[in-house]
Short mmCIF file of all heavy atoms in Angstrom, two decimals:
data_model
loop_
_atom_site.label_atom_id
_atom_site.label_comp_id
_atom_site.label_asym_id
_atom_site.label_seq_id
_atom_site.Cartn_x
_atom_site.Cartn_y
_atom_site.Cartn_z
N LEU B 11 86.45 106.70 55.00
CA LEU B 11 86.16 107.24 53.68
C LEU B 11 87.47 107.70 53.05
O LEU B 11 88.27 108.36 53.71
CB LEU B 11 85.20 108.43 53.83
CG LEU B 11 84.62 109.07 52.57
CD1 LEU B 11 83.74 108.08 51.83
CD2 LEU B 11 83.82 110.30 52.95
N SER B 12 87.67 107.34 51.79
CA SER B 12 88.87 107.77 51.07
C SER B 12 88.44 108.46 49.79
O SER B 12 87.67 107.88 49.01
CB SER B 12 89.75 106.55 50.75
OG SER B 12 90.93 106.95 50.07
N VAL B 13 88.90 109.68 49.58
CA VAL B 13 88.43 110.48 48.45
C VAL B 13 89.62 111.19 47.80
O VAL B 13 90.65 111.42 48.45
CB VAL B 13 87.38 111.53 48.89
CG1 VAL B 13 86.16 110.86 49.49
CG2 VAL B 13 87.99 112.53 49.85
N PRO B 14 89.48 111.58 46.53
CA PRO B 14 90.53 112.40 45.91
C PRO B 14 90.40 113.85 46.35
O PRO B 14 89.31 114.33 46.70
CB PRO B 14 90.26 112.25 44.42
CG PRO B 14 88.82 111.92 44.32
CD PRO B 14 88.45 111.17 45.57
N GLU B 15 91.50 114.53 46.32
CA GLU B 15 91.53 115.95 46.69
C GLU B 15 90.55 116.77 45.85
O GLU B 15 90.36 116.51 44.67
CB GLU B 15 92.95 116.47 46.45
CG GLU B 15 93.20 117.92 46.82
CD GLU B 15 94.66 118.32 46.65
OE1 GLU B 15 95.45 117.48 46.15
OE2 GLU B 15 95.01 119.44 47.01
N GLY B 16 89.92 117.75 46.47
CA GLY B 16 89.03 118.65 45.74
C GLY B 16 87.56 118.31 45.87
O GLY B 16 86.71 119.16 45.57
N GLU B 17 87.25 117.12 46.33
CA GLU B 17 85.84 116.74 46.45
C GLU B 17 85.17 117.48 47.61
O GLU B 17 85.80 117.78 48.61
CB GLU B 17 85.70 115.23 46.67
CG GLU B 17 85.83 114.43 45.42
CD GLU B 17 85.16 113.07 45.54
OE1 GLU B 17 84.49 112.79 46.54
OE2 GLU B 17 85.33 112.28 44.60
N ASN B 18 83.88 117.73 47.42
CA ASN B 18 83.06 118.23 48.52
C ASN B 18 82.50 117.02 49.28
O ASN B 18 82.00 116.09 48.66
CB ASN B 18 81.90 119.08 47.99
CG ASN B 18 82.42 120.31 47.25
OD1 ASN B 18 83.41 120.92 47.64
ND2 ASN B 18 81.75 120.68 46.16
N LEU B 19 82.60 117.06 50.59
CA LEU B 19 82.28 115.88 51.40
C LEU B 19 81.13 116.15 52.34
O LEU B 19 80.97 117.26 52.85
CB LEU B 19 83.49 115.48 52.23
CG LEU B 19 84.79 115.19 51.47
CD1 LEU B 19 85.90 114.94 52.45
CD2 LEU B 19 84.60 114.03 50.53
N VAL B 20 80.37 115.08 52.61
CA VAL B 20 79.32 115.14 53.62
C VAL B 20 79.55 114.00 54.60
O VAL B 20 79.55 112.83 54.22
CB VAL B 20 77.92 115.01 52.99
CG1 VAL B 20 76.86 114.97 54.07
CG2 VAL B 20 77.66 116.17 52.03
N LEU B 21 79.76 114.35 55.87
CA LEU B 21 79.93 113.36 56.92
C LEU B 21 78.64 113.32 57.73
O LEU B 21 78.09 114.37 58.09
CB LEU B 21 81.10 113.74 57.84
CG LEU B 21 82.52 113.46 57.34
CD1 LEU B 21 82.84 114.19 56.05
CD2 LEU B 21 83.53 113.81 58.42
N ASN B 22 78.18 112.11 58.02
CA ASN B 22 76.89 111.95 58.69
C ASN B 22 77.01 111.54 60.14
O ASN B 22 77.93 110.81 60.53
CB ASN B 22 76.07 110.89 57.95
CG ASN B 22 75.71 111.33 56.55
OD1 ASN B 22 75.11 112.39 56.35
ND2 ASN B 22 76.10 110.55 55.56
N CYS B 23 76.07 111.99 60.93
CA CYS B 23 75.99 111.64 62.34
C CYS B 23 74.52 111.51 62.69
O CYS B 23 73.71 112.39 62.33
CB CYS B 23 76.64 112.74 63.18
SG CYS B 23 76.46 112.56 64.96
N SER B 24 74.15 110.42 63.37
CA SER B 24 72.76 110.27 63.81
C SER B 24 72.74 109.96 65.30
O SER B 24 73.67 109.35 65.83
CB SER B 24 72.04 109.18 63.01
OG SER B 24 72.68 107.94 63.20
#
Side-chain angles (χ1 to χ4, degrees):
Chain B
L11 187 64
S12 181
V13 299
E15 182 176 5
E17 281 203 7
N18 298 322
L19 304 174
V20 176
L21 282 60
N22 295 304
C23 173
S24 61

